[in-house]
Amino acid sequence: MSLEGGFTRRRKGIQKVLELMNCEGEEVANCNDTNFILNFPTGYGKTTLSIELARWLSTRTTTNFARLIHVVPTRALVEDIAKRARGLNYAVQYSFAPSELKSPNFLAEFVITTYDSFLLNLYKASIGEPFSVHGHYDLPRFSIYTSLVHFDEFHLMNEGNSWTSLIGAIKHLTKVGVNFMLSSATPSRSIEEKIIENSRNITKVSVVRNYGDSVKGRNCKEVSEGEYECYTAERRRPYRVVEVVEDLKVPDIDIKLINDGEEIPRVIEGRTIIVVNTVERAISLYDELKRRQLKPCLIHSRFRISDRMKIILDECDIIISTQVIEVGVNISSDVMITEQAPLPSIVQRVGRLLRYNERERGTLYIWRTGEYAPYDKDEVIRTLDALSNNDVCLKDPYGCHGKRGYGEIIDNIIKEPQVDYKLLKELEEISINPFLTKKDLEKVLEDYCTLTNSFIINLALDKPSSLEDLIPFSGEMIDKAPLVREGNKVLAYFEKYTSNGEMDNVEIIEDYIEFKDWKDLCKKYRKPMEDKDGRKLLLALMVDNSFYDNERGLRLK
């Protein structure tokens, strides 16, 4: 049975990818040796492609790959995809994932994991064996080498260590012949072409309104209707573009700028989502709307996971959120208010405005707060300038309702990400030299902390009994956390491992840890420690519970 023939009717873009893969055969199929960049609008159903491929792989294998690894930026998105994968032979992998669902060696037929976990396994950290120097790091690498890898929301990996690590992974997978997909609603041309220049056999699949939409301004030659031979601008690497014409019904979103937070209560209508850029602003706005006798719900990253899970967004008429709502949250609003941000973030947020086309027209209010952190100031200013005339379609990269698409302006707004060639060279050496081990990666991380831009440390109010008792926290802000201290020491919880000869027993113990700053903490976090009583890993730092309530989350000191 061919791959595309094994499915029910799907959206045209997804069906086209399956056709281009051209997996022919019964129990053992042969697929085309093709890698993909998928440019689909928000809400199009990129995850559906992975789930359908995983379902197909559950009854057969291919000469190209035996499993599918779906890589995403956040563990919340891992959990969301896992819910949709029920009934499949799937596993998840991220820090402190439920043990019954874990696959640290990526051996399941369908693995859903974070970029951090994927990169650590690729570069020999062997996340399933934290106390081993050499370990069986070739086992998870074997799983990667015999997989099809789907890098989802890859636009979120376009800075610093994240971008360099992604380019390094793409280069290595290309070298060893592993097929991959990269999908995003908001990639810029510079990002796409840098990936193309470090890989091979790339086909870019775009959902468009008219043939030619996705190749405007590119060095491309039409070979047939909707198919083009193209070359990158810098190194003239060849790639193919395949367009799928699909008349997507999307609402017409009016863009209005507001300068004063006092206007917010006046523009709330029906279900309203308000997205701001910092937890502090989210809490402040929540308190202000409550003072005005409104009933908002608050969601951000600094809730204890169990408290966050209790927030039922479908029951909220007013939702105040941070960037956590940009990916992996299937919810819709009648009106959206967003703090100023770069264009890709605005587009992702608007994906939650009239998500299900409940009305033909909606309104996005952009709040010009004058605050630019945590974003690049120039990118925010250029975004505001580009959107100020209300002539950009934020629901389709190639335009709608007579407005130009956001894909037509994104290259003028987003800076080209820079590769750290020192880090790239060190990762290449680790990946190809069989004598280099986890210790060599640890030496690299002495300078870089993590392979992504995200150093997340867990905090706890008291002794945690499960993942749900933890509060994820940005490690770079640790000096602002209300930690419980005794002199220079910080009270912490550790996972203590003892062995009975056959298996490890794990218990949570309380002890102290010392660190000078967030960089020193990063070196010690999740780094194995050993003393006369056994081996242990840092699990969480304890915080003063007077700074926390389950309505607002954790406040800074």
Side-chain angles (χ1 to χ4, degrees):
M1 180 188 296
S2 66
L3 176 57
E4 67 270 20
F7 300 126
T8 55
R9 186 174 182 274
R10 298 296 173 195
R11 282 193 154 174
K12 292 181 180 180
I14 293 173
Q15 188 66 25
K16 177 57 72 173
V17 175
L18 301 178
E19 291 172 8
L20 293 169
M21 289 179 68
N22 192 31
C23 295
E24 297 287 348
E26 292 297 329
E27 292 185 4
V28 179
N30 183 50
C31 305
N32 285 343
D33 180 19
T34 305
N35 302 308
F36 293 94
I37 294 176
L38 309 180
N39 183 201
F40 299 157
T42 57
Y44 189 79
K46 301 185 300 294
T47 304
T48 303
L49 175 61
S50 282
I51 291 175
E52 294 289 25
L53 282 169
R55 183 172 290 117
W56 184 80
L57 277 171
S58 67
T59 58
R60 55 185 62 78
T61 189
T62 81
T63 56
N64 307 62
F65 50 88
R67 64 185 48 80
L68 175 67
I69 302 178
H70 192 111
V71 190
V72 296
T74 67
R75 56 191 184 189
L77 192 48
V78 171
E79 293 162 359
D80 178 70
I81 296 172
K83 292 175 184 176
R84 301 171 59 186
R86 286 173 182 163
L88 297 173
N89 177 21
Y90 78 92
V92 303
Q93 186 56 51
Y94 56 88
S95 297
F96 312 113
S99 58
E100 69 275 12
L101 297 178
K102 276 187 176 182
S103 181
N105 291 319
F106 291 172
L107 290 171
E109 292 173 355
F110 182 27
V111 178
I112 313 162
T113 189
T114 58
Y115 278 96
D116 183 58
S117 293
F118 178 86
L119 292 167
L120 289 173
N121 264 352
L122 180 63
Y123 293 115
K124 302 183 181 180
S126 191
I127 56 179
E129 297 179 299
F131 297 107
S132 174
V133 174
H134 294 276
H136 301 93
Y137 58 74
D138 279 329
L139 186 54
R141 282 163 64 84
F142 166 81
S143 297
I144 292 172
Y145 292 166
T146 54
S147 70
L148 171 65
V149 183
H150 185 172
F151 295 105
D152 199 357
E153 307 290 1
F154 74 94
H155 65 279
L156 295 176
M157 295 286 288
N158 70 344
E159 293 181 333
N161 298 357
S162 295
W163 178 240
T164 300
S165 298
L166 178 61
I167 291 296
I170 293 298
K171 288 187 69 172
H172 184 63
L173 295 182
T174 296
K175 186 174 294 185
V176 298
V178 175
N179 289 127
F180 53 84
M181 302 175 175
L182 300 105
S183 61
S184 171
T186 56
S188 67
R189 175 179 171 177
S190 61
I191 289 175
E192 288 181 346
E193 294 202 346
K194 183 62 71 173
I195 288 169
I196 292 165
E197 289 176 346
N198 286 279
S199 55
R200 62 180 178 82
N201 295 354
I202 288 287
T203 295
K204 171 182 163 72
V205 180
S206 294
V207 175
V208 299
R209 293 188 174 273
N210 302 287
Y211 288 127
D213 281 350
S214 69
V215 295
K216 291 177 181 176
R218 298 191 184 222
N219 184 11
C220 296
K221 176 184 177 182
E222 185 175 17
V223 295
S224 63
E225 188 175 57
E227 293 197 24
Y228 308 84
E229 290 179 352
C230 305
Y231 293 88
T232 61
E234 185 176 335
R235 293 165 61 184
R236 290 192 56 78
R237 288 290 178 87
Y239 64 103
R240 179 166 64 146
V241 172
V242 176
E243 294 180 324
V244 178
V245 172
E246 190 168 355
D247 185 18
L248 298 176
K249 303 298 183 184
V250 297
D252 186 6
I253 304 299
D254 287 321
I255 303 169
K256 299 181 179 181
L257 305 183
I258 60 176
N259 299 312
D260 190 346
E262 290 293 318
E263 297 180 57
I264 289 178
R266 294 196 291 271
V267 299
I268 290 174
E269 178 186 350
R271 169 175 282 178
T272 300
I273 293 178
I274 306 171
V275 189
V276 295
N277 300 336
T278 65
V279 174
E280 287 66 38
R281 190 179 296 279
I283 294 174
S284 174
L285 184 58
Y286 174 79
D287 287 337
E288 175 61 23
L289 294 188
K290 288 200 71 175
R291 188 183 66 79
R292 293 173 179 255
Q293 307 303 309
L294 296 173
K295 296 180 180 180
C297 296
L298 177 64
I299 181 170
H300 56 70
S301 60
R302 293 209 306 257
F303 277 102
R304 189 163 48 184
I305 293 173
S306 59
D307 291 331
R308 187 167 157 185
M309 292 170 63
K310 294 173 185 175
I311 302 171
I312 305 175
L313 295 180
D314 286 337
E315 297 179 358
C316 303
D317 288 331
I318 303 172
I319 299 169
I320 300 173
S321 176
T322 56
Q323 295 90 332
V324 298
I325 208 167
E326 289 182 17
V327 293
V329 180
N330 290 315
I331 194 168
S332 183
S333 67
D334 302 310
V335 170
M336 175 168 284
I337 304 164
T338 175
E339 186 175 358
Q340 59 188 35
L343 183 62
S345 292
I346 296 289
V347 170
Q348 293 292 333
R349 295 172 189 186
V350 170
R352 278 75 196 159
L353 173 57
L354 298 178
R355 187 174 182 83
Y356 307 116
N357 296 335
E358 299 94 330
R359 298 190 310 206
E360 294 182 356
R361 199 176 191 95
T363 304
L364 170 72
Y365 295 94
I366 300 180
W367 181 14
R368 293 193 290 197
T369 59
E371 300 290 334
Y372 299 96
Y375 300 113
D376 181 275
K377 180 178 179 179
D378 292 337
E379 291 184 354
V380 174
I381 291 173
R382 286 196 290 266
T383 298
L384 290 172
D385 289 343
L387 300 183
S388 61
N389 292 325
N390 190 28
D391 61 351
V392 176
C393 171
L394 295 174
K395 283 288 189 178
D396 191 301
Y398 304 111
C400 62
H401 303 287
K403 300 177 180 179
R404 55 184 174 157
Y406 64 80
E408 299 176 45
I409 63 172
I410 196 167
D411 290 309
N412 298 324
I413 292 174
I414 303 303
K415 295 178 180 177
E416 181 177 346
Q418 300 301 306
V419 173
D420 182 329
Y421 287 99
K422 176 176 178 291
L423 174 59
L424 184 64
K425 181 179 179 181
E426 290 174 326
L427 293 178
E428 286 179 342
E429 289 176 351
I430 291 171
S431 65
I432 63 176
N433 189 332
F435 298 104
L436 298 185
T437 68
K438 178 181 179 179
K439 273 198 172 301
D440 297 284
L441 179 62
E442 289 176 348
K443 290 177 184 176
V444 172
L445 296 182
E446 289 283 324
D447 294 328
Y448 292 96
C449 180
T450 70
L451 293 178
T452 65
N453 286 352
S454 176
F455 166 39
I456 302 298
I457 182 85
N458 287 314
L459 306 179
L461 304 175
D462 46 33
K463 185 176 180 179
S465 59
S466 72
L467 166 72
E468 296 176 5
D469 294 329
L470 302 175
I471 304 169
F473 190 82
S474 172
E476 295 184 28
M477 295 177 62
I478 199 63
D479 61 324
K480 298 181 180 180
L483 303 176
V484 177
R485 296 179 178 271
E486 184 175 302
N488 294 326
K489 298 180 179 180
V490 174
L491 190 61
Y493 296 103
F494 294 82
E495 291 178 319
K496 180 182 177 182
Y497 292 77
T498 56
S499 176
N500 60 12
E502 296 182 359
M503 61 180 295
D504 282 335
N505 297 309
V506 184
E507 64 174 318
I508 306 300
I509 63 168
E510 188 177 296
D511 203 344
Y512 288 93
I513 186 172
E514 291 186 66
F515 55 88
K516 294 179 293 186
D517 52 26
W518 73 267
K519 292 182 180 179
D520 189 34
L521 175 62
C522 190
K523 294 175 184 178
K524 296 177 178 178
Y525 185 53
R526 303 304 294 170
K527 190 172 184 178
M529 306 176 192
E530 195 162 355
D531 57 28
K532 59 182 178 61
D533 296 322
R535 302 169 299 172
K536 60 185 181 181
L537 293 173
L538 176 61
L539 173 61
L541 304 178
M542 188 174 181
V543 292
D544 184 342
N545 57 22
S546 67
F547 284 80
Y548 185 89
D549 68 74
N550 56 17
E551 187 181 347
R552 295 171 179 80
L554 182 70
R555 293 177 289 108
L556 302 179
K557 64 182 182 181

